[in-house]
Amino acid sequence: MQTYPVKCLRRRSHLEFVNKNGLNTPALNAGYICHYRDSLICKHFKSLAQVMPFLVYDLIPQTVVNGWSIIGELVALVWHMTIPDIEKYLISARLSQMIKDFLNIIVQCAPSILISKLKFQFLVHLPAFICHFRPTIMFSTERYELFNHIL
């Protein structure tokens, strides 16, 4: 039996009891996430982003919970392998409004992060990038994160 830190056991029990029906995610395996917590990949972050408001609602201020809710919606809107009708997607997905809402929450929670993290500028242009390059998963910069971290 793998031993986990107490915090991870608490989070694992929360993850196991989250209702996953209706989520735009693969299975949320709490044991796997806790065991490999230092080496999670994209699909795990997608899953966690969508359930995080339910896991931390009583631990953090309401503005931060609102931020997590918006992140979960953004992840569900942006994370697609194919987009059959790009015009319909951009209009129906409310992507631009969600990005504005997210940036407003960021300003309320931690305004200095907008200056220190340049990737927020990328979000403003995301609808245009999707229109030009198609799904964001196709032009993700995630694989270069390790390289960027070293710089």
Side-chain angles (χ1 to χ4, degrees):
M1 175 79 181
Q2 176 72 28
T3 59
Y4 300 111
V6 173
K7 280 184 181 179
C8 193
L9 286 174
R10 210 172 297 137
R11 298 296 169 251
R12 180 179 177 169
S13 67
H14 287 140
L15 277 172
E16 287 173 348
F17 290 106
V18 168
N19 184 352
K20 297 149 192 93
N21 295 336
L23 291 177
N24 181 17
T25 63
L28 189 60
N29 186 343
Y32 182 89
I33 288 174
C34 286
H35 186 272
Y36 296 105
R37 63 189 173 275
D38 294 328
S39 58
L40 300 176
I41 59 174
C42 304
K43 68 180 180 179
H44 302 118
F45 290 115
K46 177 184 178 186
S47 300
L48 287 171
Q50 291 184 57
V51 300
M52 192 60 73
F54 305 105
L55 301 176
V56 298
Y57 72 92
D58 59 343
L59 302 173
I60 56 178
Q62 187 59 44
T63 54
V64 181
V65 173
N66 294 343
W68 274 112
S69 297
I70 292 172
I71 288 171
E73 282 191 63
L74 270 174
V75 164
L77 290 174
V78 170
W79 208 298
H80 294 280
M81 293 301 291
T82 60
I83 301 174
D85 185 358
I86 197 75
E87 298 301 324
K88 185 177 178 183
Y89 167 78
L90 288 174
I91 293 169
S92 67
R94 305 176 321 133
L95 187 58
S96 296
Q97 185 59 48
M98 291 302 301
I99 291 169
K100 288 176 188 174
D101 292 346
F102 176 68
L103 293 175
N104 285 332
I105 288 288
I106 291 297
V107 167
Q108 292 173 24
C109 294
S112 63
I113 200 169
L114 289 175
I115 298 168
S116 63
K117 298 287 184 183
L118 297 177
K119 292 218 174 184
F120 287 108
Q121 175 64 26
F122 175 77
L123 284 175
V124 175
H125 304 289
L126 191 58
F129 290 159
I130 290 173
C131 195
H132 183 72
F133 298 111
R134 298 299 184 214
T136 56
I137 202 102
M138 301 302 182
F139 62 91
S140 170
T141 62
E142 206 168 85
R143 66 183 134 205
Y144 305 111
E145 289 295 320
L146 183 60
F147 175 77
N148 292 337
H149 179 72
I150 292 170
L151 292 178

